[in-house]
Structure formats: structure tokens, C-alpha cells
Amino acid sequence: MAKAISFDSLPKEIRTALHRIADAPFFTIERFTPEAITVLNTRIARVYKFVRRNQRMLTLLDRELDNLILLRSKKIVSSTPLNRMSLSQYEMVVLAYVEGDLVAGQATAKHARQLAAAQKTLHSAFDKDARNKVADWNSARVLKPIFAKANAGDFGPEFLKFARALQRELKAHELSRTDITFIHADASLSNVLFQADRATMIDWAEAGWGSRYFDIGVAIHGLLGEKKAVQKELIAAYLAEYFGETGPTERDLELIELHVKLRYLAAATAHLATSKNDQLLHRPRIMRSIDESLRKATKFSLR
């Protein structure tokens, strides 16, 4: 959808800012939403991100920039922040462009191994730093919208029962804090660029401290979005790369399963980010999606 949007469709202040850099044909619009716009200029290897100047979007932007600086201190490959300026209605940030391909829908075992290697490197780099960190990501945060009274009409008794049981199963692990590290928290294939010899995760606004299994669960949930015929191969390649020759233990597999299920339940809350009008308009589709998320979560197993 983004590729079909013309340069002239951009807000005037954004067009003006970009015209100071280069002519319109050198820009490609990669994202266009009411609150965020991303434009590429591969000729000079730059990414231009524009976000609405409201508290929520500016908080996310600040967090992403802080995370990118933190990653750079650990020599983790990511986009490098180059400049920032305020426009009238948007905040503009310039990042170094990262080469790579998006492979969602056509991932191979090689891609799964590259993603696992990138995540393992990230997690290992922050092991020592995490000793005194409080988790930003856990089951309580993910499931909070499901238990909120305001959303009571969306999630039925069976869904709530499953969510509460899942939270109980994860509680002991989360309280032990044995696997806390810095995690991307949204490393689905749409947020990973693949080069010949490595994977580079992008869009770090959601990153923070959490269990490494949370990150692994997100990644495997993303691989489950690929064609059914290759899912087992992709997951096997991912686990072999992340856990090495000895492979995952039974406890590893149990925690991964729980976090994949958690991701399925998180997917059932996606509609809450849309307007109330859109929620009413698409109510039947949303309810089907919620039911499907529960079905997949209940069914999922690695063993």
C-alpha cells in the first residue's frame, strides 16, 4: 500500500523538508499512517521518520532513539541516528539506511538461522547488564488489555480462563528473573532485514528488558506465519542455531511454548489500537480473529 502513495500526497511540511534534501523521485514512501510516515532515500542511504508531535508518539520516538544509542554501545548492528528536528506538526529523525531484504511470506531455513543468531547475539550482549533491571515486558503487561473492564465485551469466558491460566504458568518464571536481558520484543519477520550473511532487526521502539524466551516466542510466532509446509523446518533451524548442538532442554521448550501462546493472545488485542468507529464497523471480523487467536494458542505445541 505504501509504495502506491505519491510524494505529493505527503503533508506539505514533510514535502518541504525533503525537497531541501533531494528531488521527489529519489524518495520512496515505505510507511504512511495518520501518526507516522517513513521515507527512504537509498541514493544517499538515509531513512526519514516523521511522527506526530503528540505525547505518545514522541515518547515512542525518544525510546527508540535511546535504544539505538544503547545498541551502538554494545556494537549491535542497527540503524544509526544522524539528525533530529522539529517541524510544525511532526518530529523528523534521520537514520542511516540499513541494506537488506524483507522476507515475510518467503522465509527459508537460512533466514531462521540468521534471525536466531542475531537474537542470541543481542541477548548475550546484555546478560550482565540485566541483573538489576525490572522487566518492561511480561505476561501482565501483554494480558492487561484482555482483563480490562472496558474491553469486557470482546473476550469471552473461555478466552479469559485461558489467559489467566497462562499467566499463572508464567508467574514463577517471571518472578525468578533468571533470563532477563535486553530484547527487541517485536522481532517478527516484518521487522527484520536480511543480508547475505546476517539479519538486522529494525524498529526498536518497543525494545526493553524482559525474558529471552519472550523474544524467542515472538520470533517463532512470526515463523508460524509462513507457509504451513515449511513451518517445522523454520522452527527447527531457529532452535538449532539459538541453542547450539545440545539443543533446547525440556524447560526451554516449555517456556518457548508459553511465550508463543502469549503472543497469540497479544495478537487478539490488535483491534484495540484502532478507533471505536473502526471497531464497531469491523466487529464480526474482529471477533473471528479473537476466536482464531485462542484456537491457535490452545493448539500450539513444540513437542
Side-chain angles (χ1 to χ4, degrees):
M1 182 183 75
K3 301 253 183 191
I5 298 171
S6 70
F7 185 87
D8 289 337
S9 298
L10 294 171
K12 183 178 179 180
E13 63 179 303
I14 293 179
R15 295 201 312 270
T16 300
L18 293 175
H19 268 310
R20 295 192 184 107
I21 299 163
D23 293 331
F26 294 108
F27 295 104
T28 303
I29 303 166
E30 292 295 307
R31 183 185 185 192
F32 193 113
T33 71
E35 292 195 311
I37 296 170
T38 302
V39 182
L40 302 186
N41 186 325
T42 55
R43 181 170 174 265
I44 57 174
R46 295 291 184 267
V47 178
Y48 302 89
K49 297 187 74 168
F50 301 88
V51 302
R52 283 282 185 182
R53 301 192 68 221
N54 60 52
Q55 184 175 351
R56 185 180 75 85
M57 294 305 296
L58 290 177
T59 298
L60 287 173
L61 182 63
D62 289 341
R63 184 187 304 156
E64 180 169 19
L65 294 178
D66 288 344
N67 287 339
L68 291 174
I69 293 169
L70 179 61
L71 294 169
R72 189 173 177 81
S73 73
K74 294 291 187 178
K75 299 182 180 180
I76 301 294
V77 178
S78 59
S79 299
T80 302
L82 301 174
N83 194 12
R84 179 173 180 171
M85 64 181 291
S86 297
L87 306 180
S88 175
Q89 298 183 64
Y90 292 87
E91 194 79 0
M92 170 181 167
V93 169
V94 184
L95 305 171
Y97 175 68
V98 178
E99 291 278 357
D101 299 317
L102 293 171
V103 301
Q106 51 187 353
T108 66
K110 178 182 177 181
H111 296 130
R113 288 192 295 270
Q114 288 177 327
L115 174 55
Q119 287 187 294
K120 186 175 182 178
T121 298
L122 172 68
H123 300 160
S124 299
F126 287 94
D127 275 346
K128 294 180 180 178
D129 304 72
R131 291 172 181 170
N132 299 313
K133 299 293 183 181
V134 175
D136 298 301
W137 285 102
N138 54 30
S139 60
R141 175 177 175 178
V142 173
L143 299 175
K144 184 178 180 180
I146 293 170
F147 300 135
K149 289 183 179 178
N151 306 322
D154 293 344
F155 307 103
E158 186 180 357
F159 195 105
L160 293 173
K161 181 180 178 181
F162 186 88
R164 289 192 182 97
L166 181 61
Q167 192 168 30
R168 285 195 299 271
E169 288 189 80
L170 282 168
K171 186 175 182 179
H173 168 68
E174 292 173 341
L175 290 176
S176 71
R177 297 174 44 79
T178 53
D179 297 299
I180 297 290
T181 187
F182 194 73
I183 64 175
H184 183 281
D186 196 20
S188 58
L189 292 177
S190 60
N191 284 331
V192 185
L193 294 173
F194 291 89
Q195 299 90 19
D197 59 348
R198 72 183 183 201
T200 301
M201 290 175 280
I202 58 174
D203 289 345
W204 290 86
E206 298 291 349
W209 302 95
S211 167
R212 69 182 64 240
Y213 294 100
F214 188 106
D215 235 11
I216 295 170
V218 172
I220 289 182
H221 177 267
L223 296 177
L224 290 166
E226 297 298 291
K227 295 177 182 177
K228 193 169 183 178
V230 299
Q231 288 176 7
K232 287 185 178 179
E233 179 187 5
L234 296 178
I235 292 172
Y238 179 97
L239 294 176
E241 182 66 35
Y242 192 96
F243 291 99
E245 292 183 2
T246 58
T249 65
E250 281 297 308
R251 180 57 174 162
D252 290 329
L253 292 175
E254 179 185 6
L255 288 171
I256 294 169
E257 285 179 2
L258 291 174
H259 282 89
V260 172
K261 293 174 187 289
L262 185 65
R263 187 66 172 181
Y264 274 122
L265 297 197
T269 68
H271 66 284
L272 299 175
T274 65
S275 69
K276 291 297 182 182
N277 284 340
D278 281 345
Q279 290 181 41
L280 288 172
L281 182 63
H282 302 292
R283 184 77 177 172
R285 178 180 58 78
I286 289 170
M287 298 310 294
R288 288 195 298 271
S289 177
I290 291 173
D291 289 343
E292 183 67 3
S293 294
L294 177 60
R295 185 189 69 79
K296 289 181 176 180
T298 304
K299 184 180 177 181
F300 178 72
S301 175
L302 288 171
R303 295 165 289 178

